[in-house]
Amino acid sequence: MLSQLTGLPVLFVRKKAQGLRHLQIAEGGRVRGRRLLIVEDVVTSGGAILDAAKALREEGAELGAVVCVIDRDRAARRISPNRPDLTALFTMSELKNVAAIMAPLH
């Protein structure tokens, strides 16, 4: 959806390189020489992001920031010392606080 809204190309990173002719870590286009942003939905430990970042760098990509919808409050501590930066739209504690405020209203 982000690609459609922004007009920017999208690549999908796999956990393991796959493909019949060429083993590719990312589907949808070339990686080498491109500046990439990683987008995740929910991040718990950040392990998948670190793995993807490492694989993309090994393929010649330059990485920008990482954006996620929900950080379960543990990911930023693991990712930050190793780079890339993680920006979350929401943290789990923020969502729990809002839920606690809203609960009496229902």
Side-chain angles (χ1 to χ4, degrees):
M1 183 52 75
L2 286 173
S3 178
Q4 287 182 337
L5 291 173
T6 64
L8 297 171
V10 64
L11 299 171
F12 294 93
V13 178
R14 300 177 177 275
K15 288 185 181 188
K16 290 186 176 184
Q18 295 180 351
L20 295 175
R21 295 181 185 196
H22 303 287
L23 295 178
Q24 298 177 357
I25 195 67
E27 294 293 329
R30 67 179 173 78
V31 172
R32 184 163 307 285
R34 294 178 84 179
R35 182 166 171 80
L36 303 176
L37 165 78
I38 296 176
V39 179
E40 275 283 357
D41 51 1
V42 177
V43 178
T44 301
S45 69
I49 291 170
L50 292 174
D51 291 344
K54 180 178 183 234
L56 291 168
R57 283 188 183 117
E58 287 173 356
E59 293 294 319
E62 178 187 343
L63 294 182
V66 175
V67 177
C68 70
V69 178
I70 300 171
D71 174 3
R72 296 192 59 160
D73 295 324
R74 297 183 292 265
R77 288 187 290 277
R78 179 166 180 205
I79 292 173
S80 293
N82 299 305
R83 181 80 171 107
D85 296 328
L86 174 66
T87 301
L89 297 178
F90 305 100
T91 64
M92 186 60 78
S93 56
E94 290 170 339
L95 294 175
K96 286 180 180 179
N97 288 340
V98 170
I101 292 167
M102 299 299 291
L105 301 176
H106 292 293

